[in-house]
């Protein structure tokens, strides 16, 4: 008996974590998904009601605004982060003596909470006293920058703050990817007479496809989860002009007492993330082989 | 310093050519871009309100006062209470330290089991645990809120510690598992023959050589948990709130005059711990980021 | 000191058979080498002997007792690994004494055991170093020290020299042999290198595809391989294998080679047949390179012309690759002889230690 316990010890040790994940991840997902099919408002009701919450969701203007914002934000956020990250990575790859210091500077925003970052940018982009005032002091007297309170433009302030925060991380990923390319291929190309840009565009960047994919997945993931930054920068406003699914869900769940609706929005967020991440994970685990 | 791949082939430009100048100019520009917000934050936090309103955001403080800092720490109003951030700072510490310690320990022992004591379906179990890292947490907020309520842990530090442990296990297990894969299995075989059992091998052999990954994991977890806002704001209504929630309250408070210097000082106080950790141990942080994502 | 017996042992991974019906009797004090190509199952067999893996069927006996369910630490064995497997964060001293400390042996006995081993392997000066500060050869010594310090009944070696460079390998080989001579402990040694096998073993067991192909004293395996696989595996450069047919003339058994233009006939009168082939049976004749020599008149030989295709010198002699019809034949010439590529040379094929194999089954006739 004791011997059997001994041999099962590894599994016993793993069990609590696995159980926790089962309950707190999969169990909870199941609960949320189920509630999204009920009439729950302030309290959960467990009567299955079909797709009524989803129908309500797709009838809400606010939800469409949230989705639209998510799309705009994601595209710009991912695009700018990747471009900036790649640019900085390529520049840093050029044998600079102070590379370490530069890397530290480009990356430190990642160490900050989104709330801290948001606070800083909220001040920097302050309509009266921020960027607008500074540029006017440079002589451009009619410069206006009130994006933060402009329903049309507010979403772009979130893009700015987000890119500032996360581009360093993308740079670090790309730099690691650049450096992992076999030196000898580069040397061979150099001896063959290829110019520097040619080497970059023809050899290095194409072989970084896996890193691009990883970066894309991480950024997409970050974008969908955006919550902290929005809350502190604009609180979802003006009105709900900068709402995104995450803030929408939070409002429905904790302020409006419409948890069925909140569950539906959360479930949709979940499905979107799965659709992007699972195929990627699956192919990664497969490629890593059976160890 | 790092060698560029071109060094052997004759270094594409250590001489200061035009290209090289341009390179430094662009890099320098970005240094400004990244440091500007920090500079402005610090500057603003040291000015009094009049100077802020009258002067330029970019100017170095003339008045140079520590009053905002003192107020932020000791008497700023968060909601109804006006006791400053110090209480919240301490709450964040009480949440972060146990959560980091426990999730790291669990990650280590899980990674050990998954790599050195293989069994049927362990790959699937790992995949299932890993998946937990990727879900948007919105999908667990509601049930977790209910569960914490039922357990009497709503708005408590313990409740948040539990939450952070549970949702941190995925990452920590990933880090340790990827690290332990690189540790030769023959070490475990040799120790087995030497007479060591499951736990002895873990404590006397695996842990001592895990220092690099422990550092990475601790830094990663510390940053994630200290900086968390979503769980903090969702599960602490009326109770123990971490400093990120308090900061948001200060910045977005709708009452009274907007005290920008107070906001900035508060933000810096809230961000200082993770920033300090980053400055001193940043390369481990980077290693954590890249090893977790690039390698998959 | 103990004997080790493997009885009717099989191992499957899922549905893939890795070892089939293995029977081995290793006597007390023997140095048995398990040799075979990668993937033949030899490491798995060693792991099963150690108790690190369990057999699907069959028994492992140590000193006459069945130990199938006995934990490795209770089998009184020690193992030396290919990658040394030294504990990276411990000093040499701690590495070697780890097993003793886990068993809670009294400190005095630990010190005594350490003392004995350290001088035997000449590693006293390394005691306070960490593995990362040691060279490959030093690490291997420490790994052996860890095995020796417990004075086990059986030593298991899993390709311990494969990570060393050629010179070091040769030195350590002699070292291991000397140690075994001194300690006379039963040892099972796994390697893919047949030179190590030939040099170290009191007996060799050749494994292929999970089965024991042949067991015996090294010289016997060399002179009388049981099948084509063993013939080609043991000995370097490899045995020449010539396809052909058996013919009978005037009551004599003869080998007619496929390759020679003249359809050369090789007399088989002095060959010790185990099984008698029929006339026109397809067979393979095996002749080792050292029996392909410059013209010599011995007992039973065939003289023929061979075309030189490649020459390798190692200082001691020359290995010359000849073309013989469709086949390649390797011969050994004295170092000061002077073959040239493209040259047609008259060579003697000495049949004294030839082997004959059935072409289909591969078994020795």
């Amino acid at each position: 008996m004791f011997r059997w316990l001994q041999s099962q010890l590894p599994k016993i040790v793993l069990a609590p974590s696995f159980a926790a994940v089962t309950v707190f991840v999969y169990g909870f997902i199941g609960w949320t998904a189920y509630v999204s099919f009920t009439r729950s408002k302030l309290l959960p009701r467990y009567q299955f009601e079909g797709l009524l919450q989803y129908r309500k969701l797709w009838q809400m203007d606010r939800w469409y605004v949230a989705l639209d914002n998510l799309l705009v934000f994601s595209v710009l956020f991912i695009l700018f982060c990747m471009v900036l990250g790649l640019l900085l990575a390529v520049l840093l790859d050029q044998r600079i003596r102070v590379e370490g210091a530069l890397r530290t500077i480009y990356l430190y925003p990642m160490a900050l909470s989104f709330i801290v970052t948001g606070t800083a940018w909220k001040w920097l982009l302050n309509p009266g006293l921020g960027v607008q005032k500074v540029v006017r002091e440079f002589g451009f007297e009619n410069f206006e920058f009130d994006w933060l309170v402009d329903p049309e433009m507010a979403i772009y302030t979130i893009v700015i703050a987000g890119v500032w925060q996360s581009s360093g991380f993308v740079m670090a990923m790309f730099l690691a990817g650049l450096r992992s390319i076999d030196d000898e291929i580069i040397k061979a190309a150099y001896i063959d007479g290829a110019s520097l840009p040619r080497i970059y565009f023809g050899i290095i960047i194409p072989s970084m496809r896996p890193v691009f994919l990883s970066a894309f997945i991480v950024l997409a993931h970050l974008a969908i989860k955006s919550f902290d930054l929005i809350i502190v920068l604009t609180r979802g406003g003006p009105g709900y002009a900068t709402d995104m699914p995450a803030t929408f869900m939070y409002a429905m769940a904790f302020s409006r007492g419409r948890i069925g609706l909140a569950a539906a929005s959360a479930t949709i967020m979940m499905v979107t993330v799965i659709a992007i991440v699972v195929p990627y994970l699956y192919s990664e685990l497969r490629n890593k082989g059976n160890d | 310093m790092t060698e560029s791949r071109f060094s052997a082939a004759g270094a594409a430009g250590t001489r200061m050519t035009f290209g090289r100048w341009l390179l430094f100019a662009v890099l320098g520009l970005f240094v400004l871009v990244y440091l500007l917000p920090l500079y402005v934050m610090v500057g603003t936090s040291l000015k009094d309100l009049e100077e802020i309103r009258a002067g330029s955001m970019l100017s170095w403080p003339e008045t140079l006062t520590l009053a905002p800092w003192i107020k932020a720490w000791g008497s700023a109003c968060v909601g109804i209470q006006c006791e400053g951030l110090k209480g919240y700072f301490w709450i964040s510490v009480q949440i972060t330290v146990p959560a980091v310690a426990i999730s790291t320990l669990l990650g280590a022992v899980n990674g050990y089991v998954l790599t050195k004591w293989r069994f049927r379906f362990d790959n699937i179990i790992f995949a299932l645990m890993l998946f937990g890292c990727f879900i948007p947490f919105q999908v667990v907020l509601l049930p977790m809120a209910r569960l914490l309520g039922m357990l009497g842990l709503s708005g408590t530090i313990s409740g948040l510690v539990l939450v952070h442990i549970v949702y941190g296990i995925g990452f920590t297990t990933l880090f340790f598992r990827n690290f332990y894969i690189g540790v030769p299995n023959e070490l475990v075989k040799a120790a087995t023959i030497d007479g060591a059992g499951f736990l002895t091998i873990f404590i006397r052999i695996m842990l001592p050589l895990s220092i690099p990954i422990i550092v990475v994991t601790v830094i990663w977890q510390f940053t994630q948990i200290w900086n968390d806002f979503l769980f903090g704001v969702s599960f602490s209504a009326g109770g123990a709130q971490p400093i990120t929630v308090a900061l948001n309250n200060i910045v977005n408070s709708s009452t009274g005059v907007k005290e920008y210097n107070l906001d900035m000082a508060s933000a810096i106080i809230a961000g200082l711990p993770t920033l300090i950790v980053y400055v001193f141990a940043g390369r481990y942080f980077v290693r954590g980021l890249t090893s977790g994502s690039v390698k998959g | 000191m103990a004997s080790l017996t493997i009885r009717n042992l099989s191992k499957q991974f899922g549905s893939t058979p890795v070892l089939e019906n293995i029977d081995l009797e290793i006597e007390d004090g023997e140095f048995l080498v398990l040799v075979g190509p990668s993937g033949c199952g030899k490491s798995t067999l060693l792991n099963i002997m150690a108790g690190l893996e369990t057999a699907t069927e069959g028994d492992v006996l140590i000193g006459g007792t069945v130990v199938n369910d006995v934990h490795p630490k209770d089998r009184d064995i020690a193992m030396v690994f290919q990658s040394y497997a030294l504990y990276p964060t411990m000093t040499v001293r701690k590495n070697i004494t780890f097993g003793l400390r886990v068993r809670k042996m009294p400190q005095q006995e630990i010190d005594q055991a350490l003392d004995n081993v350290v001088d035997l392997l000449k590693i006293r000066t390394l005691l306070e170093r960490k593995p990362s500060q040691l060279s490959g050869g030093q690490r291997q010594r420490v790994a052996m020290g860890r095995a020796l310090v417990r004075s086990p009944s059986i030593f298991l070696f899993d390709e311990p020299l494969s990570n060393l460079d050629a010179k070091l390998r040769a030195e350590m080989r002699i070292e291991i042999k000397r140690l075994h001579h001194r300690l006379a402990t039963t040892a099972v040694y796994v390697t893919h290198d047949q030179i190590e096998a030939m040099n170290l073993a009191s007996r060799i067991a050749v494994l292929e595809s999970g089965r024991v192909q042949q067991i015996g004293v090294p010289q016997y395996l060399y002179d009388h391989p049981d099948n084509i696989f063993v013939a080609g595996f043991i000995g370097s450069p490899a045995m020449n294998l010539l396809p052909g047919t058996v013919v009978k003339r005037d009551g004599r058994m003869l080998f007619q080679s496929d390759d020679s233009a003249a359809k050369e006939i090789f007399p088989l009168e002095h060959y010790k047949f185990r099984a008698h082939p029929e006339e026109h049976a397809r067979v393979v004749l095996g002749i080792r390179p050292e029996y392909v020599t410059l013209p010599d008149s011995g007992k039973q030989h065939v003289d023929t012309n061979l075309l030189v295709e490649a020459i390798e010198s190692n200082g001691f002699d020359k290995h010359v690759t000849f073309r013989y019809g469709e086949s390649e034949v390797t011969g050994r010439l004295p170092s000061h002889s002077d073959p040239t590529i493209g040259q047609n040379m008259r060579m003697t094929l000495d049949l004294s230690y030839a082997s004959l194999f059935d072409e289909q089954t591969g078994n020795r006739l």
Side-chain angles (χ1 to χ4, degrees):
Chain A
M1 170 64 182
F2 182 65
R3 189 77 204 281
W4 180 84
L5 264 182
Q6 273 275 357
S7 70
Q8 299 299 309
L9 198 52
K11 291 187 215 168
I12 294 177
V13 160
L14 191 60
S17 299
F18 184 62
V21 168
T22 308
V23 170
F24 291 102
V25 173
Y26 298 101
F28 279 5
I29 291 177
W31 191 94
T32 302
Y34 186 78
V35 165
S36 75
F37 292 120
T38 69
R39 266 188 202 282
S40 313
K41 284 238 164 138
L42 198 52
L43 290 172
R45 293 158 68 161
Y46 296 107
Q47 174 105 1
F48 188 79
E49 300 278 351
L51 292 172
L52 77 101
Q53 299 288 9
Y54 291 92
R55 267 183 258 130
K56 276 196 204 149
L57 202 59
W58 292 102
Q59 282 165 358
M60 289 178 73
D61 185 51
R62 185 169 176 176
W63 176 246
Y64 283 104
V65 170
L67 287 181
D68 186 58
N69 282 335
L70 180 61
L71 189 64
V72 169
F73 175 77
S74 302
V75 168
L76 291 175
F77 174 66
I78 294 177
L79 189 65
F80 282 120
C81 277
M82 300 262 265
V83 166
L84 198 53
L86 186 59
L87 175 67
L88 289 175
V90 167
L91 291 181
L92 274 184
D93 195 31
Q94 302 310 312
R95 201 174 170 228
I96 318 262
R97 252 184 281 156
V98 288
E99 176 190 314
L102 287 178
R103 255 196 352 239
T104 307
I105 293 175
Y106 296 151
L107 247 180
Y108 86 86
M110 275 301 281
L112 300 171
S113 164
F114 279 109
I115 305 294
V116 171
T117 305
T119 305
W121 281 94
K122 197 178 166 96
W123 172 233
L124 281 169
L125 301 177
N126 185 294
L129 299 167
V131 166
Q132 181 178 285
K133 188 155 182 253
V134 169
V135 173
R136 283 195 180 173
E137 278 164 13
F138 277 131
F140 300 93
E141 283 175 11
N142 292 322
F143 181 73
E144 278 199 2
F145 195 93
D146 58 351
W147 285 11
L148 210 51
V149 292
D150 180 345
E152 296 286 308
M153 305 300 282
I155 184 72
Y156 301 111
T157 62
I158 305 181
V159 174
I160 293 174
V163 171
W164 182 85
Q165 168 119 5
S166 305
S167 46
F169 167 54
V170 180
M171 173 212 72
M173 281 181 79
F174 286 163
L175 194 57
L178 283 176
R179 297 250 159 99
S180 69
I181 294 176
D182 193 359
D183 252 11
E184 302 197 322
I185 299 178
I186 313 289
K187 284 184 198 162
Y190 200 75
I191 290 175
D192 269 344
S195 64
L196 205 56
R198 186 81 183 271
I199 291 181
Y200 268 107
F201 283 103
I203 300 176
I204 297 184
I205 292 180
S207 48
M208 279 180 52
R209 256 188 24 205
V211 186
F212 286 136
L213 192 58
S214 291
F216 175 80
I217 297 288
V218 171
L219 290 172
H221 189 242
L222 271 178
I224 294 178
K225 283 170 70 163
S226 305
F227 176 78
D228 309 7
L229 203 52
I230 304 169
I231 294 287
V232 72
L233 259 178
T234 61
R235 278 196 280 191
Y240 50 76
T242 54
D243 225 20
M244 283 218 250
T247 52
F248 176 90
M249 183 269 171
Y250 183 82
M252 293 299 129
F254 297 108
S255 321
R256 307 270 168 172
R258 301 179 68 176
I259 67 178
L261 203 57
S265 63
T267 308
I268 292 184
M269 282 177 72
M270 168 80 194
V271 168
T272 313
V273 168
I274 291 184
I276 298 178
V277 166
V278 166
Y280 170 73
L281 266 186
Y282 184 68
S283 72
E284 278 292 299
L285 277 179
R286 268 290 217 60
N287 286 342
K288 289 286 288 288
N290 309 306
D291 359 339
Chain B
M1 272 287 103
T2 46
E3 284 275 55
S4 152
R5 55 191 81 252
F6 299 106
S7 50
T14 30
R15 295 160 290 127
M16 293 307 281
T17 59
F18 171 71
R20 205 78 182 155
W21 275 115
L22 190 61
L23 178 69
F24 281 122
V26 173
L27 285 173
L29 175 67
F30 279 110
V31 169
L32 284 180
V33 168
Y34 283 100
L35 284 183
L36 193 71
L38 190 63
Y39 166 74
V40 168
M41 276 178 80
V42 173
T44 306
S45 72
L46 295 170
K47 298 177 185 173
D48 66 29
L49 277 177
E50 274 182 31
E51 191 190 340
I52 293 176
R53 271 189 277 259
S56 160
M57 179 183 271
L58 294 178
S59 62
W60 186 247
E62 276 176 15
T63 40
L64 211 67
T65 161
L66 280 179
W69 286 77
I70 298 175
K71 183 166 184 194
W73 184 252
S75 55
C77 293
V78 178
I80 350 168
Q81 293 180 306
C82 292
E83 312 240 322
L85 284 175
K86 59 180 186 297
Y88 298 99
F89 191 93
W90 175 234
I91 291 176
S92 279
V93 170
Q94 289 179 76
I95 295 172
T96 309
V97 170
V100 170
I102 297 177
S103 59
T104 302
L105 182 63
L106 285 176
V109 93
N110 289 345
Y112 168 59
V113 168
L114 288 171
T115 53
K116 301 297 171 226
W117 297 92
R118 310 296 305 274
F119 55 90
R120 225 160 157 224
F121 304 130
D122 63 7
N123 259 338
I124 297 181
I125 291 188
F126 173 61
L128 289 176
M129 289 179 73
L130 187 60
F131 182 72
C133 300
F134 291 96
I135 56 167
F137 291 127
Q138 278 68 28
V139 79
V140 302
L141 286 184
L142 286 169
M144 181 55 96
R146 279 188 65 76
L147 182 69
L148 288 179
M150 290 197 291
L151 292 175
L153 292 174
S154 281
T156 63
I157 290 176
S158 317
L160 278 173
V161 169
L162 174 68
V163 170
H164 284 299
I165 291 176
V166 165
Y167 296 111
I169 288 181
F171 277 108
T172 58
T173 304
L174 173 68
F175 285 158
F176 279 97
R177 181 233 182 220
N178 282 359
F179 181 79
Y180 285 151
I181 278 186
V183 173
N185 289 347
E186 293 187 332
L187 266 185
V188 175
K189 282 191 199 167
T192 306
I193 291 183
D194 266 344
F198 175 81
L199 277 181
T200 314
I201 296 180
F202 181 65
I203 298 174
R204 286 169 84 161
I205 300 186
M206 297 303 272
L207 277 186
L209 55 80
S210 307
I211 308 287
I213 195 66
I214 291 178
V215 174
V216 167
T217 307
V218 165
I219 291 181
W220 173 265
Q221 281 296 85
F222 178 77
T223 308
Q224 293 298 106
I225 297 176
W226 182 273
N227 287 345
D228 160 73
F229 177 72
L230 180 66
F231 287 142
V233 80
S234 303
F235 301 133
S236 62
Q241 298 180 321
I243 198 170
T244 46
V245 178
L247 176 62
N248 185 52
N249 274 339
I250 292 180
V251 171
N252 277 314
S253 69
S254 36
T255 56
V257 176
K258 266 264 138 253
E259 293 183 67
Y260 301 109
N261 46 11
L262 181 67
D263 290 353
M264 293 302 120
S266 308
I268 297 178
I269 290 177
L272 215 48
T274 48
L275 199 55
I276 289 179
V277 165
Y278 172 77
V279 165
F280 284 112
R283 55 199 160 125
Y284 300 107
F285 183 71
V286 179
R287 232 173 269 171
L289 285 178
T290 49
S291 75
S293 4
V294 175
K295 307 259 177 71
Chain C
M1 257 36 95
S3 62
L4 178 66
T5 310
I6 304 291
R7 222 167 37 198
N8 200 24
L9 188 129
S10 301
K11 172 76 180 173
Q12 287 176 320
F13 280 124
S15 51
T16 327
V18 171
L19 293 169
E20 288 182 68
N21 302 111
I22 308 278
D23 279 297
L24 286 174
E25 288 260 6
I26 305 169
E27 282 168 25
D28 187 7
E30 256 206 277
F31 196 110
L32 179 83
V33 175
L34 294 175
V35 74
S38 310
C40 67
K42 53 193 193 294
S43 284
T44 309
L45 183 56
L46 199 72
N47 283 340
I48 294 177
M49 288 177 185
L52 295 168
E53 290 182 49
T54 46
T56 318
E57 261 178 56
D59 298 318
V60 179
L61 294 96
I62 297 183
T65 329
V66 173
V67 295
N68 292 15
D69 295 320
V70 176
H71 192 276
K73 68 178 190 315
D74 298 319
R75 294 194 187 194
D76 201 20
I77 52 161
M79 198 154 165
V80 180
F81 298 90
Q82 179 178 352
S83 67
Y84 326 127
L86 296 178
Y87 309 123
T89 50
M90 299 187 204
T91 58
V92 165
R93 178 192 298 272
K94 289 226 160 121
N95 255 283
I96 295 181
T97 56
F98 181 72
L100 304 178
R101 286 182 287 126
V102 164
R103 282 172 171 75
K104 303 206 167 61
M105 196 183 261
Q107 189 60 43
Q108 226 187 349
E109 286 179 40
I110 295 182
D111 292 336
Q112 182 67 47
L114 180 66
D115 227 29
N116 297 339
V117 154
V118 148
D119 287 322
L120 192 61
L121 291 168
K122 301 186 205 101
I123 49 179
R124 187 171 285 279
T125 52
L126 305 176
L127 276 178
E128 303 311 320
R129 294 206 204 161
K130 295 248 175 90
S132 56
Q133 298 165 305
L134 302 173
S135 71
Q138 290 170 330
R139 285 183 206 172
Q140 197 46 282
R141 281 170 196 276
V142 172
M144 293 214 282
R146 182 173 61 184
L148 284 169
V149 82
R150 293 195 359 250
S151 303
S153 314
I154 302 183
F155 282 118
L156 303 172
F157 294 89
D158 193 355
E159 307 212 41
L161 305 184
S162 302
N163 283 3
L164 301 175
D165 66 62
K167 182 156 182 285
L168 212 43
R169 216 182 296 166
E171 282 174 20
M172 293 299 292
R173 222 167 48 216
I174 299 178
E175 190 76 34
I176 292 179
K177 189 139 188 177
R178 199 182 293 144
L179 276 171
H180 178 253
H181 185 77
R182 175 140 169 201
L183 299 172
T185 313
T186 318
V188 181
Y189 187 103
V190 162
T191 179
H192 64 269
D193 183 348
Q194 52 94 34
I195 298 178
E196 267 171 38
M198 292 293 288
N199 277 304
L200 289 171
S202 56
R203 275 199 300 161
I204 297 180
V206 178
L207 259 76
E208 218 284 317
S209 304
R211 288 178 184 271
V212 176
Q213 303 293 322
Q214 187 171 0
I215 300 187
V217 167
Q219 192 63 49
Y220 188 81
L221 257 66
Y222 189 83
D223 293 331
H224 303 95
D226 272 354
N227 57 41
I228 291 185
F229 178 79
V230 177
F233 190 81
I234 302 278
S236 177
M239 183 188 273
N240 296 303
L241 297 168
L242 307 171
T245 10
V246 168
V247 291
K248 280 200 176 124
R249 304 255 174 92
D250 313 319
R252 293 156 70 213
M253 290 275 244
L254 304 162
F255 171 81
Q256 182 166 58
S257 126
D258 285 350
D259 289 308
S260 79
K263 290 276 178 255
E264 224 115 30
I265 308 285
F266 295 63
L268 294 174
E269 284 116 354
H270 296 277
Y271 184 77
K272 297 192 180 58
F273 280 94
R274 290 187 194 168
H276 283 272
E278 314 225 323
E279 183 153 25
H280 305 305
R282 294 286 307 162
V283 293
V284 175
L285 182 70
I287 303 182
R288 290 210 179 270
E290 58 266 30
Y291 294 108
V292 177
T293 60
L294 292 173
D296 186 19
S297 48
K299 275 193 288 194
Q300 8 160 13
H301 66 275
V302 166
D303 289 336
T304 186
N305 286 326
L306 298 174
L307 181 68
V308 176
E309 283 198 328
I311 305 168
E312 280 183 316
S313 292
N314 59 25
F316 172 74
D317 60 8
K318 289 195 165 116
H319 300 167
V320 180
T321 311
F322 298 98
R323 176 138 299 276
Y324 183 61
E326 299 284 301
S327 304
E328 273 179 6
V329 168
T330 310
R332 296 174 86 141
L333 271 58
S335 57
H336 299 292
S337 64
D338 198 15
T340 44
I341 297 186
Q343 181 184 2
N344 241 313
M345 292 183 71
R346 190 105 187 125
M347 302 290 289
T348 291
L349 301 171
D350 185 339
L351 298 170
S352 325
Y353 278 92
S355 302
L356 198 66
F357 303 102
D358 181 300
E359 190 184 64
Q360 266 204 318
T361 63
N363 291 332
R364 187 185 191 81
L365 291 167

